[in-house]
Amino acid sequence: MIKLAIICLVVAAVAAILGFGGVAGAFVDVAMWLAIIAAVLFVVFLVLGIFAGKKASDALD
């Protein structure tokens, strides 16, 4: 997902250089949403991994 956000930012930069401001703005918005979703998913899976690790270590003790 981060890879898609970076690709969107590159396309936005190229579009801005070529003078397509509306398209560039749209791609920047898409890149921001993808980065936010990726960050939220990272935090959710990090928390789930921590809790799963604690349960596994409790079961081994």
Side-chain angles (χ1 to χ4, degrees):
M1 198 169 287
I2 295 295
K3 184 177 179 180
L4 287 174
I6 292 170
I7 290 171
C8 285
L9 285 175
V10 170
V11 170
V14 171
I17 290 171
L18 295 176
F20 298 105
V23 175
F27 272 104
V28 169
D29 287 340
V30 170
M32 281 185 6
W33 278 108
L34 287 173
I36 290 169
I37 292 170
V40 168
L41 286 175
F42 172 75
V43 170
V44 167
F45 286 123
L46 181 68
V47 169
L48 288 174
I50 289 172
F51 285 131
K54 285 185 181 180
K55 284 187 179 181
S57 66
D58 290 342
L60 294 175
D61 289 338

mmCIF file of all heavy atoms in Angstrom:
data_model
loop_
_atom_site.group_PDB
_atom_site.id
_atom_site.type_symbol
_atom_site.label_atom_id
_atom_site.label_comp_id
_atom_site.label_asym_id
_atom_site.label_seq_id
_atom_site.Cartn_x
_atom_site.Cartn_y
_atom_site.Cartn_z
ATOM 1 N N MET A 1 0.826 -1.181 0.000
ATOM 2 C CA MET A 1 0.000 0.000 0.000
ATOM 3 C C MET A 1 0.878 1.256 0.000
ATOM 4 O O MET A 1 0.531 2.239 -0.632
ATOM 5 C CB MET A 1 -0.923 -0.035 1.203
ATOM 6 C CG MET A 1 -2.080 0.895 1.058
ATOM 7 S SD MET A 1 -3.352 0.689 2.279
ATOM 8 C CE MET A 1 -4.107 -0.814 1.758
ATOM 9 N N ILE A 2 1.979 1.182 0.705
ATOM 10 C CA ILE A 2 2.905 2.316 0.697
ATOM 11 C C ILE A 2 3.491 2.495 -0.703
ATOM 12 O O ILE A 2 3.703 3.616 -1.164
ATOM 13 C CB ILE A 2 4.026 2.092 1.742
ATOM 14 C CG1 ILE A 2 3.449 2.082 3.155
ATOM 15 C CG2 ILE A 2 5.107 3.147 1.624
ATOM 16 C CD1 ILE A 2 2.865 3.392 3.595
ATOM 17 N N LYS A 3 3.722 1.374 -1.376
ATOM 18 C CA LYS A 3 4.253 1.435 -2.735
ATOM 19 C C LYS A 3 3.275 2.180 -3.648
ATOM 20 O O LYS A 3 3.688 3.016 -4.462
ATOM 21 C CB LYS A 3 4.491 0.014 -3.250
ATOM 22 C CG LYS A 3 5.114 -0.060 -4.607
ATOM 23 C CD LYS A 3 5.361 -1.521 -4.980
ATOM 24 C CE LYS A 3 5.952 -1.643 -6.342
ATOM 25 N NZ LYS A 3 6.184 -3.054 -6.710
ATOM 26 N N LEU A 4 1.986 1.913 -3.506
ATOM 27 C CA LEU A 4 0.980 2.617 -4.305
ATOM 28 C C LEU A 4 0.948 4.111 -3.974
ATOM 29 O O LEU A 4 0.775 4.949 -4.867
ATOM 30 C CB LEU A 4 -0.397 2.009 -4.087
ATOM 31 C CG LEU A 4 -0.637 0.646 -4.718
ATOM 32 C CD1 LEU A 4 -1.999 0.111 -4.294
ATOM 33 C CD2 LEU A 4 -0.537 0.727 -6.213
ATOM 34 N N ALA A 5 1.122 4.437 -2.703
ATOM 35 C CA ALA A 5 1.137 5.848 -2.304
ATOM 36 C C ALA A 5 2.331 6.572 -2.935
ATOM 37 O O ALA A 5 2.196 7.701 -3.417
ATOM 38 C CB ALA A 5 1.178 5.963 -0.786
ATOM 39 N N ILE A 6 3.470 5.917 -2.955
ATOM 40 C CA ILE A 6 4.656 6.530 -3.556
ATOM 41 C C ILE A 6 4.477 6.694 -5.060
ATOM 42 O O ILE A 6 4.841 7.729 -5.634
ATOM 43 C CB ILE A 6 5.912 5.704 -3.220
ATOM 44 C CG1 ILE A 6 6.204 5.804 -1.728
ATOM 45 C CG2 ILE A 6 7.112 6.150 -4.033
ATOM 46 C CD1 ILE A 6 7.271 4.863 -1.234
ATOM 47 N N ILE A 7 3.877 5.687 -5.705
ATOM 48 C CA ILE A 7 3.612 5.788 -7.142
ATOM 49 C C ILE A 7 2.661 6.947 -7.427
ATOM 50 O O ILE A 7 2.864 7.708 -8.382
ATOM 51 C CB ILE A 7 3.059 4.457 -7.679
ATOM 52 C CG1 ILE A 7 4.152 3.397 -7.665
ATOM 53 C CG2 ILE A 7 2.496 4.627 -9.085
ATOM 54 C CD1 ILE A 7 3.662 1.994 -7.962
ATOM 55 N N CYS A 8 1.641 7.105 -6.598
ATOM 56 C CA CYS A 8 0.706 8.219 -6.778
ATOM 57 C C CYS A 8 1.412 9.563 -6.613
ATOM 58 O O CYS A 8 1.121 10.513 -7.347
ATOM 59 C CB CYS A 8 -0.454 8.108 -5.795
ATOM 60 S SG CYS A 8 -1.653 6.850 -6.229
ATOM 61 N N LEU A 9 2.339 9.637 -5.665
ATOM 62 C CA LEU A 9 3.074 10.885 -5.475
ATOM 63 C C LEU A 9 3.974 11.203 -6.666
ATOM 64 O O LEU A 9 4.096 12.357 -7.072
ATOM 65 C CB LEU A 9 3.908 10.817 -4.194
ATOM 66 C CG LEU A 9 3.114 10.944 -2.893
ATOM 67 C CD1 LEU A 9 4.031 10.740 -1.699
ATOM 68 C CD2 LEU A 9 2.443 12.296 -2.808
ATOM 69 N N VAL A 10 4.578 10.180 -7.242
ATOM 70 C CA VAL A 10 5.420 10.394 -8.418
ATOM 71 C C VAL A 10 4.575 10.851 -9.601
ATOM 72 O O VAL A 10 4.937 11.793 -10.318
ATOM 73 C CB VAL A 10 6.215 9.115 -8.756
ATOM 74 C CG1 VAL A 10 6.897 9.226 -10.106
ATOM 75 C CG2 VAL A 10 7.228 8.822 -7.663
ATOM 76 N N VAL A 11 3.423 10.206 -9.796
ATOM 77 C CA VAL A 11 2.526 10.609 -10.884
ATOM 78 C C VAL A 11 2.032 12.037 -10.652
ATOM 79 O O VAL A 11 1.937 12.831 -11.595
ATOM 80 C CB VAL A 11 1.350 9.619 -11.006
ATOM 81 C CG1 VAL A 11 0.291 10.135 -11.952
ATOM 82 C CG2 VAL A 11 1.848 8.263 -11.461
ATOM 83 N N ALA A 12 1.745 12.382 -9.402
ATOM 84 C CA ALA A 12 1.304 13.745 -9.086
ATOM 85 C C ALA A 12 2.407 14.758 -9.386
ATOM 86 O O ALA A 12 2.130 15.841 -9.912
ATOM 87 C CB ALA A 12 0.890 13.827 -7.625
ATOM 88 N N ALA A 13 3.637 14.410 -9.066
ATOM 89 C CA ALA A 13 4.747 15.321 -9.340
ATOM 90 C C ALA A 13 4.925 15.535 -10.842
ATOM 91 O O ALA A 13 5.111 16.671 -11.302
ATOM 92 C CB ALA A 13 6.030 14.786 -8.721
ATOM 93 N N VAL A 14 4.841 14.453 -11.602
ATOM 94 C CA VAL A 14 4.977 14.565 -13.054
ATOM 95 C C VAL A 14 3.827 15.380 -13.632
ATOM 96 O O VAL A 14 4.028 16.249 -14.498
ATOM 97 C CB VAL A 14 5.054 13.164 -13.701
ATOM 98 C CG1 VAL A 14 4.966 13.248 -15.213
ATOM 99 C CG2 VAL A 14 6.330 12.456 -13.274
ATOM 100 N N ALA A 15 2.617 15.124 -13.151
ATOM 101 C CA ALA A 15 1.453 15.872 -13.643
ATOM 102 C C ALA A 15 1.575 17.348 -13.292
ATOM 103 O O ALA A 15 1.210 18.213 -14.100
ATOM 104 C CB ALA A 15 0.172 15.287 -13.051
ATOM 105 N N ALA A 16 2.086 17.652 -12.108
ATOM 106 C CA ALA A 16 2.252 19.051 -11.714
ATOM 107 C C ALA A 16 3.300 19.744 -12.578
ATOM 108 O O ALA A 16 3.126 20.900 -12.966
ATOM 109 C CB ALA A 16 2.642 19.131 -10.243
ATOM 110 N N ILE A 17 4.379 19.043 -12.881
ATOM 111 C CA ILE A 17 5.416 19.621 -13.739
ATOM 112 C C ILE A 17 4.871 19.906 -15.132
ATOM 113 O O ILE A 17 5.197 20.921 -15.752
ATOM 114 C CB ILE A 17 6.641 18.682 -13.801
ATOM 115 C CG1 ILE A 17 7.350 18.680 -12.455
ATOM 116 C CG2 ILE A 17 7.602 19.086 -14.899
ATOM 117 C CD1 ILE A 17 8.434 17.624 -12.322
ATOM 118 N N LEU A 18 4.003 19.011 -15.625
ATOM 119 C CA LEU A 18 3.439 19.181 -16.957
ATOM 120 C C LEU A 18 2.258 20.150 -16.988
ATOM 121 O O LEU A 18 1.730 20.439 -18.053
ATOM 122 C CB LEU A 18 3.014 17.822 -17.522
ATOM 123 C CG LEU A 18 4.153 16.837 -17.783
ATOM 124 C CD1 LEU A 18 3.601 15.505 -18.250
ATOM 125 C CD2 LEU A 18 5.124 17.405 -18.806
ATOM 126 N N GLY A 19 1.827 20.619 -15.825
ATOM 127 C CA GLY A 19 0.787 21.635 -15.774
ATOM 128 C C GLY A 19 -0.622 21.129 -15.539
ATOM 129 O O GLY A 19 -1.583 21.874 -15.689
ATOM 130 N N PHE A 20 -0.759 19.876 -15.180
ATOM 131 C CA PHE A 20 -2.077 19.311 -14.894
ATOM 132 C C PHE A 20 -2.331 19.389 -13.389
ATOM 133 O O PHE A 20 -2.222 18.400 -12.660
ATOM 134 C CB PHE A 20 -2.157 17.862 -15.373
ATOM 135 C CG PHE A 20 -1.967 17.718 -16.849
ATOM 136 C CD1 PHE A 20 -0.772 17.230 -17.367
ATOM 137 C CD2 PHE A 20 -2.965 18.074 -17.728
ATOM 138 C CE1 PHE A 20 -0.591 17.088 -18.720
ATOM 139 C CE2 PHE A 20 -2.800 17.933 -19.089
ATOM 140 C CZ PHE A 20 -1.605 17.443 -19.593
ATOM 141 N N GLY A 21 -2.714 20.572 -12.923
ATOM 142 C CA GLY A 21 -2.868 20.796 -11.492
ATOM 143 C C GLY A 21 -3.997 20.000 -10.865
ATOM 144 O O GLY A 21 -3.869 19.501 -9.751
ATOM 145 N N GLY A 22 -5.105 19.868 -11.571
ATOM 146 C CA GLY A 22 -6.242 19.124 -11.030
ATOM 147 C C GLY A 22 -5.936 17.653 -10.846
ATOM 148 O O GLY A 22 -6.268 17.041 -9.824
ATOM 149 N N VAL A 23 -5.288 17.082 -11.846
ATOM 150 C CA VAL A 23 -4.910 15.666 -11.772
ATOM 151 C C VAL A 23 -3.877 15.470 -10.667
ATOM 152 O O VAL A 23 -3.941 14.496 -9.908
ATOM 153 C CB VAL A 23 -4.365 15.190 -13.133
ATOM 154 C CG1 VAL A 23 -3.843 13.767 -13.043
ATOM 155 C CG2 VAL A 23 -5.430 15.307 -14.202
ATOM 156 N N ALA A 24 -2.939 16.381 -10.561
ATOM 157 C CA ALA A 24 -1.903 16.275 -9.528
ATOM 158 C C ALA A 24 -2.527 16.337 -8.137
ATOM 159 O O ALA A 24 -2.153 15.554 -7.249
ATOM 160 C CB ALA A 24 -0.877 17.385 -9.695
ATOM 161 N N GLY A 25 -3.476 17.236 -7.955
ATOM 162 C CA GLY A 25 -4.146 17.338 -6.659
ATOM 163 C C GLY A 25 -4.907 16.076 -6.310
ATOM 164 O O GLY A 25 -4.910 15.629 -5.157
ATOM 165 N N ALA A 26 -5.556 15.492 -7.309
ATOM 166 C CA ALA A 26 -6.305 14.253 -7.075
ATOM 167 C C ALA A 26 -5.366 13.116 -6.682
ATOM 168 O O ALA A 26 -5.661 12.344 -5.758
ATOM 169 C CB ALA A 26 -7.096 13.881 -8.320
ATOM 170 N N PHE A 27 -4.230 13.020 -7.359
ATOM 171 C CA PHE A 27 -3.280 11.959 -7.028
ATOM 172 C C PHE A 27 -2.648 12.168 -5.654
ATOM 173 O O PHE A 27 -2.369 11.205 -4.950
ATOM 174 C CB PHE A 27 -2.206 11.833 -8.105
ATOM 175 C CG PHE A 27 -2.594 10.907 -9.224
ATOM 176 C CD1 PHE A 27 -2.995 11.413 -10.441
ATOM 177 C CD2 PHE A 27 -2.568 9.539 -9.049
ATOM 178 C CE1 PHE A 27 -3.362 10.574 -11.465
ATOM 179 C CE2 PHE A 27 -2.932 8.683 -10.076
ATOM 180 C CZ PHE A 27 -3.334 9.202 -11.292
ATOM 181 N N VAL A 28 -2.448 13.407 -5.266
ATOM 182 C CA VAL A 28 -1.924 13.676 -3.923
ATOM 183 C C VAL A 28 -2.944 13.254 -2.869
ATOM 184 O O VAL A 28 -2.586 12.663 -1.841
ATOM 185 C CB VAL A 28 -1.531 15.159 -3.769
ATOM 186 C CG1 VAL A 28 -1.258 15.500 -2.319
ATOM 187 C CG2 VAL A 28 -0.318 15.475 -4.618
ATOM 188 N N ASP A 29 -4.227 13.535 -3.123
ATOM 189 C CA ASP A 29 -5.272 13.112 -2.182
ATOM 190 C C ASP A 29 -5.320 11.596 -2.057
ATOM 191 O O ASP A 29 -5.438 11.050 -0.954
ATOM 192 C CB ASP A 29 -6.633 13.638 -2.624
ATOM 193 C CG ASP A 29 -6.778 15.132 -2.407
ATOM 194 O OD1 ASP A 29 -6.008 15.687 -1.599
ATOM 195 O OD2 ASP A 29 -7.668 15.738 -3.051
ATOM 196 N N VAL A 30 -5.224 10.909 -3.181
ATOM 197 C CA VAL A 30 -5.226 9.442 -3.158
ATOM 198 C C VAL A 30 -4.014 8.931 -2.387
ATOM 199 O O VAL A 30 -4.130 8.004 -1.575
ATOM 200 C CB VAL A 30 -5.254 8.877 -4.595
ATOM 201 C CG1 VAL A 30 -5.000 7.382 -4.596
ATOM 202 C CG2 VAL A 30 -6.573 9.197 -5.271
ATOM 203 N N ALA A 31 -2.866 9.521 -2.619
ATOM 204 C CA ALA A 31 -1.648 9.100 -1.916
ATOM 205 C C ALA A 31 -1.767 9.320 -0.409
ATOM 206 O O ALA A 31 -1.334 8.474 0.381
ATOM 207 C CB ALA A 31 -0.442 9.847 -2.468
ATOM 208 N N MET A 32 -2.367 10.440 -0.020
ATOM 209 C CA MET A 32 -2.544 10.703 1.413
ATOM 210 C C MET A 32 -3.468 9.667 2.049
ATOM 211 O O MET A 32 -3.187 9.150 3.136
ATOM 212 C CB MET A 32 -3.092 12.110 1.643
ATOM 213 C CG MET A 32 -2.049 13.172 1.535
ATOM 214 S SD MET A 32 -2.561 14.865 1.929
ATOM 215 C CE MET A 32 -4.186 14.764 2.518
ATOM 216 N N TRP A 33 -4.583 9.368 1.387
ATOM 217 C CA TRP A 33 -5.512 8.377 1.933
ATOM 218 C C TRP A 33 -4.857 7.004 2.028
ATOM 219 O O TRP A 33 -5.031 6.287 3.020
ATOM 220 C CB TRP A 33 -6.785 8.301 1.099
ATOM 221 C CG TRP A 33 -7.765 9.372 1.465
ATOM 222 C CD1 TRP A 33 -8.091 10.463 0.733
ATOM 223 C CD2 TRP A 33 -8.507 9.454 2.686
ATOM 224 N NE1 TRP A 33 -9.001 11.225 1.431
ATOM 225 C CE2 TRP A 33 -9.274 10.627 2.623
ATOM 226 C CE3 TRP A 33 -8.597 8.658 3.816
ATOM 227 C CZ2 TRP A 33 -10.121 11.005 3.657
ATOM 228 C CZ3 TRP A 33 -9.441 9.043 4.838
ATOM 229 C CH2 TRP A 33 -10.191 10.207 4.751
ATOM 230 N N LEU A 34 -4.098 6.625 1.011
ATOM 231 C CA LEU A 34 -3.410 5.333 1.056
ATOM 232 C C LEU A 34 -2.393 5.285 2.195
ATOM 233 O O LEU A 34 -2.267 4.268 2.880
ATOM 234 C CB LEU A 34 -2.722 5.054 -0.276
ATOM 235 C CG LEU A 34 -3.639 4.682 -1.439
ATOM 236 C CD1 LEU A 34 -2.829 4.594 -2.724
ATOM 237 C CD2 LEU A 34 -4.353 3.385 -1.171
ATOM 238 N N ALA A 35 -1.680 6.376 2.418
ATOM 239 C CA ALA A 35 -0.694 6.419 3.503
ATOM 240 C C ALA A 35 -1.387 6.348 4.871
ATOM 241 O O ALA A 35 -0.909 5.652 5.780
ATOM 242 C CB ALA A 35 0.144 7.682 3.396
ATOM 243 N N ILE A 36 -2.509 7.026 5.007
ATOM 244 C CA ILE A 36 -3.250 6.983 6.278
ATOM 245 C C ILE A 36 -3.780 5.582 6.541
ATOM 246 O O ILE A 36 -3.666 5.056 7.656
ATOM 247 C CB ILE A 36 -4.395 8.022 6.261
ATOM 248 C CG1 ILE A 36 -3.814 9.429 6.320
ATOM 249 C CG2 ILE A 36 -5.363 7.781 7.412
ATOM 250 C CD1 ILE A 36 -4.825 10.525 6.051
ATOM 251 N N ILE A 37 -4.357 4.955 5.517
ATOM 252 C CA ILE A 37 -4.878 3.597 5.682
ATOM 253 C C ILE A 37 -3.748 2.637 6.026
ATOM 254 O O ILE A 37 -3.901 1.765 6.899
ATOM 255 C CB ILE A 37 -5.631 3.155 4.412
ATOM 256 C CG1 ILE A 37 -6.909 3.963 4.252
ATOM 257 C CG2 ILE A 37 -5.936 1.668 4.442
ATOM 258 C CD1 ILE A 37 -7.594 3.780 2.917
ATOM 259 N N ALA A 38 -2.597 2.780 5.373
ATOM 260 C CA ALA A 38 -1.458 1.913 5.667
ATOM 261 C C ALA A 38 -0.979 2.110 7.109
ATOM 262 O O ALA A 38 -0.654 1.134 7.794
ATOM 263 C CB ALA A 38 -0.329 2.192 4.692
ATOM 264 N N ALA A 39 -0.952 3.346 7.582
ATOM 265 C CA ALA A 39 -0.516 3.614 8.959
ATOM 266 C C ALA A 39 -1.491 3.014 9.965
ATOM 267 O O ALA A 39 -1.081 2.419 10.972
ATOM 268 C CB ALA A 39 -0.368 5.111 9.179
ATOM 269 N N VAL A 40 -2.777 3.150 9.705
ATOM 270 C CA VAL A 40 -3.783 2.590 10.619
ATOM 271 C C VAL A 40 -3.683 1.068 10.645
ATOM 272 O O VAL A 40 -3.724 0.450 11.725
ATOM 273 C CB VAL A 40 -5.197 3.055 10.211
ATOM 274 C CG1 VAL A 40 -6.268 2.273 10.940
ATOM 275 C CG2 VAL A 40 -5.364 4.539 10.466
ATOM 276 N N LEU A 41 -3.555 0.450 9.477
ATOM 277 C CA LEU A 41 -3.416 -1.007 9.434
ATOM 278 C C LEU A 41 -2.147 -1.461 10.139
ATOM 279 O O LEU A 41 -2.143 -2.490 10.828
ATOM 280 C CB LEU A 41 -3.417 -1.495 7.991
ATOM 281 C CG LEU A 41 -4.766 -1.489 7.287
ATOM 282 C CD1 LEU A 41 -4.589 -1.881 5.829
ATOM 283 C CD2 LEU A 41 -5.736 -2.427 7.975
ATOM 284 N N PHE A 42 -1.069 -0.701 10.004
ATOM 285 C CA PHE A 42 0.170 -1.042 10.693
ATOM 286 C C PHE A 42 -0.037 -1.044 12.202
ATOM 287 O O PHE A 42 0.371 -1.986 12.897
ATOM 288 C CB PHE A 42 1.278 -0.063 10.321
ATOM 289 C CG PHE A 42 2.524 -0.230 11.142
ATOM 290 C CD1 PHE A 42 3.371 -1.294 10.908
ATOM 291 C CD2 PHE A 42 2.830 0.664 12.154
ATOM 292 C CE1 PHE A 42 4.519 -1.470 11.668
ATOM 293 C CE2 PHE A 42 3.960 0.500 12.918
ATOM 294 C CZ PHE A 42 4.817 -0.574 12.680
ATOM 295 N N VAL A 43 -0.686 -0.024 12.722
ATOM 296 C CA VAL A 43 -0.916 0.062 14.172
ATOM 297 C C VAL A 43 -1.827 -1.067 14.642
ATOM 298 O O VAL A 43 -1.572 -1.692 15.676
ATOM 299 C CB VAL A 43 -1.493 1.448 14.542
ATOM 300 C CG1 VAL A 43 -1.957 1.477 15.985
ATOM 301 C CG2 VAL A 43 -0.463 2.529 14.292
ATOM 302 N N VAL A 44 -2.887 -1.352 13.884
ATOM 303 C CA VAL A 44 -3.812 -2.423 14.268
ATOM 304 C C VAL A 44 -3.086 -3.763 14.319
ATOM 305 O O VAL A 44 -3.209 -4.517 15.294
ATOM 306 C CB VAL A 44 -5.007 -2.481 13.291
ATOM 307 C CG1 VAL A 44 -5.800 -3.759 13.467
ATOM 308 C CG2 VAL A 44 -5.908 -1.270 13.476
ATOM 309 N N PHE A 45 -2.317 -4.075 13.277
ATOM 310 C CA PHE A 45 -1.613 -5.349 13.263
ATOM 311 C C PHE A 45 -0.493 -5.393 14.295
ATOM 312 O O PHE A 45 -0.179 -6.461 14.823
ATOM 313 C CB PHE A 45 -1.081 -5.663 11.867
ATOM 314 C CG PHE A 45 -2.156 -6.088 10.914
ATOM 315 C CD1 PHE A 45 -2.362 -5.411 9.726
ATOM 316 C CD2 PHE A 45 -2.973 -7.155 11.209
ATOM 317 C CE1 PHE A 45 -3.350 -5.804 8.854
ATOM 318 C CE2 PHE A 45 -3.967 -7.563 10.346
ATOM 319 C CZ PHE A 45 -4.154 -6.895 9.166
ATOM 320 N N LEU A 46 0.120 -4.263 14.603
ATOM 321 C CA LEU A 46 1.130 -4.223 15.654
ATOM 322 C C LEU A 46 0.519 -4.571 17.003
ATOM 323 O O LEU A 46 1.055 -5.392 17.756
ATOM 324 C CB LEU A 46 1.779 -2.839 15.697
ATOM 325 C CG LEU A 46 2.876 -2.637 16.727
ATOM 326 C CD1 LEU A 46 4.087 -3.480 16.355
ATOM 327 C CD2 LEU A 46 3.252 -1.175 16.810
ATOM 328 N N VAL A 47 -0.632 -3.971 17.313
ATOM 329 C CA VAL A 47 -1.314 -4.249 18.577
ATOM 330 C C VAL A 47 -1.760 -5.709 18.629
ATOM 331 O O VAL A 47 -1.592 -6.389 19.651
ATOM 332 C CB VAL A 47 -2.505 -3.284 18.776
ATOM 333 C CG1 VAL A 47 -3.373 -3.709 19.935
ATOM 334 C CG2 VAL A 47 -1.996 -1.869 18.981
ATOM 335 N N LEU A 48 -2.330 -6.205 17.525
ATOM 336 C CA LEU A 48 -2.749 -7.606 17.496
ATOM 337 C C LEU A 48 -1.558 -8.543 17.664
ATOM 338 O O LEU A 48 -1.655 -9.561 18.361
ATOM 339 C CB LEU A 48 -3.471 -7.911 16.180
ATOM 340 C CG LEU A 48 -4.868 -7.327 16.027
ATOM 341 C CD1 LEU A 48 -5.395 -7.597 14.631
ATOM 342 C CD2 LEU A 48 -5.806 -7.864 17.072
ATOM 343 N N GLY A 49 -0.437 -8.201 17.069
ATOM 344 C CA GLY A 49 0.758 -9.024 17.212
ATOM 345 C C GLY A 49 1.292 -9.031 18.630
ATOM 346 O O GLY A 49 1.745 -10.064 19.132
ATOM 347 N N ILE A 50 1.222 -7.906 19.290
ATOM 348 C CA ILE A 50 1.690 -7.833 20.682
ATOM 349 C C ILE A 50 0.810 -8.693 21.577
ATOM 350 O O ILE A 50 1.307 -9.457 22.408
ATOM 351 C CB ILE A 50 1.726 -6.371 21.159
ATOM 352 C CG1 ILE A 50 2.855 -5.625 20.460
ATOM 353 C CG2 ILE A 50 1.879 -6.300 22.675
ATOM 354 C CD1 ILE A 50 2.850 -4.131 20.708
ATOM 355 N N PHE A 51 -0.519 -8.580 21.401
ATOM 356 C CA PHE A 51 -1.410 -9.386 22.225
ATOM 357 C C PHE A 51 -1.291 -10.872 21.913
ATOM 358 O O PHE A 51 -1.342 -11.703 22.813
ATOM 359 C CB PHE A 51 -2.867 -8.929 22.063
ATOM 360 C CG PHE A 51 -3.163 -7.643 22.769
ATOM 361 C CD1 PHE A 51 -3.810 -6.619 22.124
ATOM 362 C CD2 PHE A 51 -2.789 -7.444 24.084
ATOM 363 C CE1 PHE A 51 -4.092 -5.426 22.760
ATOM 364 C CE2 PHE A 51 -3.051 -6.267 24.742
ATOM 365 C CZ PHE A 51 -3.704 -5.246 24.071
ATOM 366 N N ALA A 52 -1.109 -11.226 20.656
ATOM 367 C CA ALA A 52 -0.937 -12.633 20.293
ATOM 368 C C ALA A 52 0.376 -13.165 20.859
ATOM 369 O O ALA A 52 0.449 -14.313 21.295
ATOM 370 C CB ALA A 52 -0.977 -12.800 18.783
ATOM 371 N N GLY A 53 1.409 -12.335 20.863
ATOM 372 C CA GLY A 53 2.689 -12.747 21.430
ATOM 373 C C GLY A 53 2.601 -12.984 22.917
ATOM 374 O O GLY A 53 3.202 -13.917 23.448
ATOM 375 N N LYS A 54 1.830 -12.147 23.604
ATOM 376 C CA LYS A 54 1.672 -12.336 25.053
ATOM 377 C C LYS A 54 0.906 -13.616 25.350
ATOM 378 O O LYS A 54 1.237 -14.349 26.266
ATOM 379 C CB LYS A 54 0.947 -11.136 25.660
ATOM 380 C CG LYS A 54 1.806 -9.912 25.785
ATOM 381 C CD LYS A 54 1.075 -8.802 26.490
ATOM 382 C CE LYS A 54 1.960 -7.573 26.572
ATOM 383 N NZ LYS A 54 1.306 -6.454 27.236
ATOM 384 N N LYS A 55 -0.127 -13.905 24.555
ATOM 385 C CA LYS A 55 -0.892 -15.132 24.774
ATOM 386 C C LYS A 55 -0.022 -16.358 24.509
ATOM 387 O O LYS A 55 -0.123 -17.344 25.208
ATOM 388 C CB LYS A 55 -2.140 -15.155 23.885
ATOM 389 C CG LYS A 55 -3.239 -14.270 24.369
ATOM 390 C CD LYS A 55 -4.489 -14.465 23.536
ATOM 391 C CE LYS A 55 -5.601 -13.588 24.053
ATOM 392 N NZ LYS A 55 -6.839 -13.770 23.289
ATOM 393 N N ALA A 56 0.807 -16.286 23.474
ATOM 394 C CA ALA A 56 1.661 -17.430 23.156
ATOM 395 C C ALA A 56 2.702 -17.637 24.248
ATOM 396 O O ALA A 56 2.988 -18.768 24.629
ATOM 397 C CB ALA A 56 2.327 -17.218 21.811
ATOM 398 N N SER A 57 3.261 -16.564 24.765
ATOM 399 C CA SER A 57 4.273 -16.706 25.807
ATOM 400 C C SER A 57 3.639 -17.195 27.115
ATOM 401 O O SER A 57 4.255 -17.939 27.864
ATOM 402 C CB SER A 57 5.021 -15.395 26.029
ATOM 403 O OG SER A 57 4.155 -14.416 26.557
ATOM 404 N N ASP A 58 2.389 -16.788 27.377
ATOM 405 C CA ASP A 58 1.691 -17.280 28.569
ATOM 406 C C ASP A 58 1.404 -18.776 28.447
ATOM 407 O O ASP A 58 1.457 -19.505 29.424
ATOM 408 C CB ASP A 58 0.385 -16.510 28.786
ATOM 409 C CG ASP A 58 0.619 -15.060 29.219
ATOM 410 O OD1 ASP A 58 1.756 -14.774 29.678
ATOM 411 O OD2 ASP A 58 -0.308 -14.258 29.107
ATOM 412 N N ALA A 59 1.082 -19.228 27.243
ATOM 413 C CA ALA A 59 0.781 -20.643 27.040
ATOM 414 C C ALA A 59 2.037 -21.492 27.192
ATOM 415 O O ALA A 59 1.955 -22.647 27.616
ATOM 416 C CB ALA A 59 0.169 -20.850 25.657
ATOM 417 N N LEU A 60 3.190 -20.929 26.840
ATOM 418 C CA LEU A 60 4.442 -21.680 26.947
ATOM 419 C C LEU A 60 4.961 -21.752 28.379
ATOM 420 O O LEU A 60 5.736 -22.638 28.712
ATOM 421 C CB LEU A 60 5.506 -21.073 26.040
ATOM 422 C CG LEU A 60 5.223 -21.165 24.526
ATOM 423 C CD1 LEU A 60 6.292 -20.412 23.764
ATOM 424 C CD2 LEU A 60 5.172 -22.608 24.084
ATOM 425 N N ASP A 61 4.554 -20.838 29.220
ATOM 426 C CA ASP A 61 5.058 -20.805 30.609
ATOM 427 C C ASP A 61 4.407 -21.823 31.476
ATOM 428 O O ASP A 61 3.546 -22.468 31.437
ATOM 429 C CB ASP A 61 4.861 -19.428 31.238
ATOM 430 C CG ASP A 61 5.813 -18.417 30.624
ATOM 431 O OD1 ASP A 61 6.842 -18.833 30.071
ATOM 432 O OD2 ASP A 61 5.507 -17.214 30.694
#
